Every structure is written in structure tokens, then in C-alpha cells.
Amino acid sequence: MTTDELTRRPALISSAVAAAGAILAVVASGYASLLGLALAVAGASFLALGLARGTNSAIDVACLLLFAGVLASGYEGDSVELALLGTVGTVVAWDLGQSAIDLGEQLGREARTTRLEAVHAASSAIVGLGAITIGYTLYVFAADGQPVAAVALLLAAAGLVTIGFGVRNRRSREPRRGGSRYS
């Protein structure tokens, strides 16, 4: 099979797990805030569009909206647990959405990537569960009556750091002008 015959569409398993992460973020956001629900639903819609079209920038916008929904819900609500779950759902949606697009572009949809995608999804879930555990432990032992808004701001900072790493990582994969990316 030549590269011209590849269907350069996002990988299906990673796309499905990204959608599940977005649904988790929508549910967590909608629990305490109508604004959070509206932002998260808009984010989930952009995610579907990004996965349908195979565009990384739509995935980025989608996850920013999902995360804004989580922050709004965390600010207006009183559930740290849901804010943490929504954040992990957002990061999983972003990570696996980007991965689905990259796998589709590089290997094509026909490639057998089930094992690779399953390992990536499991790794993201494990890292997410670890983040929830650490975040909740810090909240329980260090919060001492602090408002949930403080946790929302902490999540905002963590989200910005994650976005920064993703942009840096994407730029490092792009070839430099005037030569190969290794020159």
C-alpha cells in the first residue's frame, strides 16, 4: 500500500476515548453550573468537529472550552471531586484527540494501532488518576477550609502548564525551514 492510498483520518479508538473524556468533562461541569455546562457542551462540539475534520487547532479550542466549563463549575460549585474529574477528562480528551489525529496522518486509519492506542489510553487514565489522587490529597490536607475557587485557580494554572508543554512539543515535531528538523 502506498502513502497515497492511506485514509488520513483520525484513529478510531483514540477518537472514542477522547470523546469519552469530553463527556466526563461535560457531566462534571454541568453538575453545579449552567455556564460550565454551556462551555463544556460547546467544547465537546468543537472536539467532535476537530475529530471529524482532523484538525489539531479545533482540538485545542475544544479543550480550552471544556476546561473553561470545568473552571466555571468549580468556581460556582462546591465539589472539588467533580472539578478534578472534569480536569482529567479534559486533559484525556486533548491528549487522545491530538494522538488520534497524529496517528491518522502518519499511519492512516487502516493501520493496526489497537494495542498502541489502548496503551496510550490506559497510560493517560493512570496519569489522570494519579493527578486526581495528588490533587485531592493536597486539598484535604492543605486546604483547611479554603474555598473551592482556590482549587479552581490551581486547576487553571495546571491547565496552562499542560497547554504550554503541548505547544512546545508540537513545535519540536515540525521540521525547520531550510533543512530537516534534526539540523
Side-chain angles (χ1 to χ4, degrees):
M1 177 179 290
T2 66
T3 58
D4 294 333
E5 296 175 20
L6 294 177
T7 305
R8 301 207 182 270
R9 308 282 302 155
L12 293 175
I13 295 171
S14 293
S15 295
V17 176
I23 290 168
L24 177 63
V26 168
V27 170
S29 298
Y31 178 74
S33 169
L34 287 178
L35 174 62
L37 178 63
L39 288 168
V41 167
S45 301
F46 267 96
L47 184 81
L49 179 69
L51 290 172
R53 292 179 163 238
T55 55
N56 288 320
S57 58
I59 301 296
D60 292 341
V61 169
C63 291
L64 282 174
L65 287 169
L66 282 169
F67 193 60
V70 170
L71 289 176
S73 180
Y75 186 76
E76 293 178 12
D78 61 354
S79 177
V80 174
E81 297 86 357
L82 287 176
L84 289 170
L85 281 173
T87 300
V88 170
T90 300
V91 172
V92 166
W94 178 70
D95 182 32
L96 287 160
Q98 296 288 344
S99 179
I101 292 170
D102 291 345
L103 280 173
E105 287 176 355
Q106 293 173 8
L107 302 175
R109 189 175 269 180
E110 296 83 8
R112 293 183 183 182
T113 58
T114 303
R115 186 173 179 185
L116 172 70
E117 291 179 85
V119 168
H120 189 158
S123 300
S124 291
I126 290 169
V127 169
L129 289 173
I132 285 176
T133 302
I134 291 169
Y136 192 69
T137 302
L138 286 174
Y139 173 74
V140 167
F141 291 112
D144 233 6
Q146 296 294 324
V148 176
V151 174
L153 292 175
L154 178 64
L155 292 175
L160 291 174
V161 168
T162 302
I163 291 168
F165 282 133
V167 170
R168 187 174 124 201
N169 187 23
R170 190 176 310 146
R171 285 185 186 156
S172 69
R173 289 184 285 168
E174 294 174 358
R176 293 186 180 121
R177 295 178 194 240
S180 76
R181 71 184 233 195
Y182 301 106
S183 56

